[in-house]
Amino acid sequence: MGDIHQFGFKKSHATGLCKYVLKSTVDYYIKNESHVFCCFVDFAKAFDYVDYWLLFSKLLQSSDDIKLWLCTRMLAYWYSNQRVHIRWGSTVSGDFRVLTGVRQGGILSPYLFRFYVRDVIHVITSMRVGCNVGGQMINLLCFADDMVLLSSSWVGLQLLIDKLHALAVGINMSFNVSKTVCMVFNPVMSSKIVSKNFPAFTVDMKELKFVREFKYLGTMITDTLRDDCDIEREIRCLFVRCNILISRFRYCSWHVKIRLFRIYCSCFYNIALWSRFNVGTLRKFHSCYNK
């Protein structure tokens, strides 16, 4: 079930690695005098619309192992016969069947979803359209259902969007057009910029919005690859966490507060990715931590 373009729910993989590959690929191209066109794809309730029969057919056809076959049959029976009640206060509704979706938070759900979208990932990454770094094609990066399409040309990215949309429809998934956005990274040398305005990308005849910054997997990505925006986000988060700590534990001893601060407020996940920023912005972060 492994796939080098899927970073979600895999041992020794994390959001930081996915973001590092994205930023490194873009950095390589813009330093070598090329644009990079990027599309951050958002699917509408991806986990909730997983088609059971399609999922388990894929599992049954993937291997001749009798143990996997038996497990798949058991899961197919379990998922297709589950019944649900809704509780509102002390009132409980009648039961009804759930015919699509994998349980969010379930132990098996991440692995089942990875398998469900594996063929889609394979088709896109086999197109040979996108960015190429050292002979390695990088046109799609995934973390569960969060997907990013990359191309060094406008036409290439539109082809990738069209193909991904068609494949997604085939497995009962659909683009959330209002949340799917595009970004253009310009070459470092201003003389190599072809244009500052490009036609809008489209999905099913609907235009996608261009953005200058986007929060991807918890980190702010900007079209200049500068990290000042993400540092400022971390400063705001640190103040919020500390204020919550102070308000909820104001009667605790100083030592307890310090302990809680170190546990809940000093986890600066993925700040190792900060590489381009103003010194003044980082000093604000230091000041915030000291306060």
Side-chain angles (χ1 to χ4, degrees), residues 256-274:
V256 170
K257 290 178 181 176
I258 291 295
R259 178 72 172 177
L260 290 171
F261 175 80
R262 289 174 178 169
I263 295 173
Y264 297 108
C265 301
S266 298
C267 181
F268 305 119
Y269 191 56
N270 287 332
I271 65 171
L273 295 175
W274 294 346

Side-chain angles (χ1 to χ4, degrees), residues 3-19:
D3 189 291
I4 62 172
H5 298 88
Q6 173 62 270
F7 293 82
F9 316 122
K10 292 170 67 176
K11 186 178 180 181
S12 302
H13 288 67
T15 58
L17 183 59
C18 185
K19 288 180 283 190

Side-chain angles (χ1 to χ4, degrees), residues 114-137:
R114 267 181 52 200
F115 198 94
Y116 190 67
V117 299
R118 187 180 67 169
D119 291 341
V120 171
I121 295 172
H122 176 71
V123 172
I124 295 295
T125 54
S126 299
M127 287 178 64
R128 312 306 297 175
V129 175
C131 295
N132 190 310
V133 180
Q136 177 66 52
M137 180 58 63

